[in-house]
Amino acid sequence: MTDQTSEPAVASAPRKPLRSAQLTFRQTVLLCEAFTMFFATLLGFGLVQGGSLDAPAGLIIGGGLALTVLMGWSAGAQSKSWGVWLGWGMQVPLLAAGVVDTAITIMGAVFLVLWIAALRIGGRIDRERAERDVAFEERLAAQEREAAEPEAGESPA
């Protein structure tokens, strides 16, 4: 036997669908934002302890940790239909944290750009994957039709 008999079986085997690139990018951005919020919380607590920020330390720690957990949870919720809108909402806390330190707002602006890039580039990758899968299926169907034609056209001799 030759290896030619196994090639069509491999080509026609069902492929596991790839995970959405946009979903992966969105989750990554939100998890990185959660880590940034955690460190921004530590920065705020340090500023309170140093006397540079006049705010209750409990509010800074409690609010910062709550936002950290919320951002981490929102990364997991990205597979839901409303996950994108939640992700847009999670861009606000880091941007608004400029009242504590402007460096946090700069990081928020960077994450906003990354969020927009995740939506646009991830969406484009997903569309290109879908187009590639359709072309693959069409090519596979054409090969199967070509393989079936000589058998139908053969005459007994």
Side-chain angles (χ1 to χ4, degrees):
M1 296 209 145
T2 64
D3 289 331
Q4 293 176 350
T5 57
S6 64
E7 286 180 18
V10 171
S12 63
R15 296 184 339 168
K16 178 182 169 186
L18 295 173
R19 186 170 180 200
S20 168
Q22 187 185 66
L23 175 64
T24 303
F25 291 166
R26 290 186 337 233
Q27 289 176 329
T28 302
V29 169
L30 288 171
L31 280 176
C32 290
E33 277 187 271
F35 282 113
T36 302
M37 181 55 74
F38 175 74
F39 290 117
T41 302
L42 294 178
L43 171 69
F45 180 71
L47 290 174
V48 167
Q49 293 298 315
S52 299
L53 182 64
D54 187 28
L59 177 66
I60 297 292
I61 292 292
L65 290 179
L67 284 171
T68 300
V69 169
L70 184 61
M71 285 182 176
W73 177 78
S74 69
Q78 288 302 298
S79 59
K80 310 284 189 221
S81 61
W82 42 268
V84 175
W85 295 108
L86 179 62
W88 277 109
M90 290 295 100
Q91 303 309 306
V92 175
L94 282 176
L95 290 170
V99 298
V100 174
D101 192 356
T102 56
I104 301 171
T105 300
I106 292 169
M107 292 300 298
V110 168
F111 279 115
L112 178 62
V113 169
L114 289 173
W115 178 255
I116 294 169
L119 292 172
R120 296 194 62 195
I121 295 170
R124 181 173 37 182
I125 290 171
D126 289 341
R127 282 189 302 275
E128 289 173 1
R129 282 181 180 171
E131 290 171 3
R132 183 190 65 214
D133 289 345
V134 167
F136 175 78
E137 294 297 329
E138 289 174 353
R139 188 172 58 243
L140 187 61
Q143 288 175 352
E144 289 174 355
R145 281 192 305 269
E146 289 175 3
E149 285 177 6
E151 294 173 4
E154 289 179 356
S155 60

